[in-house]
Amino acid sequence: MTVCFGHTMELCDASEYDPKWEGPWSLESLPILPSEMKYRPIERQSARLSEIIRLCNNATRIIHCGDPDREGQYLVDIVIANSSFKGEVFRWWPGDLSKSGLERSFRSIKPNKDYESLGIAAKYRAWADWIVGINFTRLYTLSAKKCGHQDTVSIGRVQTPTFSLVHNRCCLLYTSDAAD
């Protein structure tokens, strides 16, 4: 038995797909769309990942006990997929952490395939985040440099609207204070 402790693998950097995406950023290199998405171990987790994969490779069956959500499904599925394990994978899904709820969930362990769509949804969300983030960050940074801005303009699916909410909230407070 072992645990993952969160993310153990991450999507590769653009330069790991094609050297043309490493050099100085240019509009000509956009869009960055790898033909397939690749993963690598997260450096600080590599020893843990090696141990998990060793255990998977020697297992006769696996009970997936990741967090009961899309991301939890994805994090464990990707580790199993990167091992040579070919046996049965089951899924324990604890919906209720009370004693009776845990007992019920242990009696209702199902095949991991029943939860496959959740992991796929999380995987494609991660891929979309990577593609949007890398392409728009480079596009906006290059556009801003034409106007004299020298820093990277980081764009992302979650951070950009969140920054907008914070900015708008601060501006609203500032303007309402000035009106008083």
Side-chain angles (χ1 to χ4, degrees), residues 63-66 90-94 97 102 105-106 109-110 115:
I63 299 176
H64 178 322
C65 298
F90 296 92
R91 182 66 160 103
W92 176 62
W93 191 274
L97 298 180
L102 289 172
S105 66
F106 277 114
I109 292 175
K110 298 179 181 173
Y115 300 90

Side-chain angles (χ1 to χ4, degrees), residues 62-140:
I62 292 176
I63 299 176
H64 178 322
C65 298
D67 288 348
D69 56 25
R70 289 181 301 209
E71 198 69 15
Q73 185 68 35
Y74 169 62
L75 295 179
V76 177
D77 283 351
I78 198 166
V79 171
I80 295 169
N82 280 277
S83 74
S84 62
F85 180 77
K86 300 294 179 220
E88 289 183 292
V89 180
F90 296 92
R91 182 66 160 103
W92 176 62
W93 191 274
D96 175 359
L97 298 180
S98 68
K99 182 179 179 186
S100 62
L102 289 172
E103 288 170 353
R104 227 180 359 265
S105 66
F106 277 114
R107 288 191 304 269
S108 63
I109 292 175
K110 298 179 181 173
N112 193 52
K113 286 184 186 258
D114 291 1
Y115 300 90
E116 189 175 64
S117 62
L118 294 170
I120 290 169
K123 175 173 67 174
Y124 287 128
R125 188 256 334 128
W127 293 4
D129 286 353
W130 188 94
I131 290 167
V132 166
I134 200 158
N135 283 290
F136 282 99
T137 293
R138 290 183 183 206
L139 175 65
Y140 276 74

Side-chain angles (χ1 to χ4, degrees), residues 29-94:
S29 68
L30 298 177
I32 296 172
L33 298 170
S35 58
E36 68 174 297
M37 301 301 278
K38 299 177 189 174
Y39 294 86
R40 67 171 181 213
I42 293 176
E43 191 173 324
R44 70 182 185 286
Q45 293 278 24
S46 61
R48 167 107 302 321
L49 179 62
S50 294
E51 176 63 10
I52 295 168
I53 287 176
R54 184 189 69 74
L55 290 168
C56 286
N57 293 342
N58 293 322
T60 54
R61 71 177 172 188
I62 292 176
I63 299 176
H64 178 322
C65 298
D67 288 348
D69 56 25
R70 289 181 301 209
E71 198 69 15
Q73 185 68 35
Y74 169 62
L75 295 179
V76 177
D77 283 351
I78 198 166
V79 171
I80 295 169
N82 280 277
S83 74
S84 62
F85 180 77
K86 300 294 179 220
E88 289 183 292
V89 180
F90 296 92
R91 182 66 160 103
W92 176 62
W93 191 274

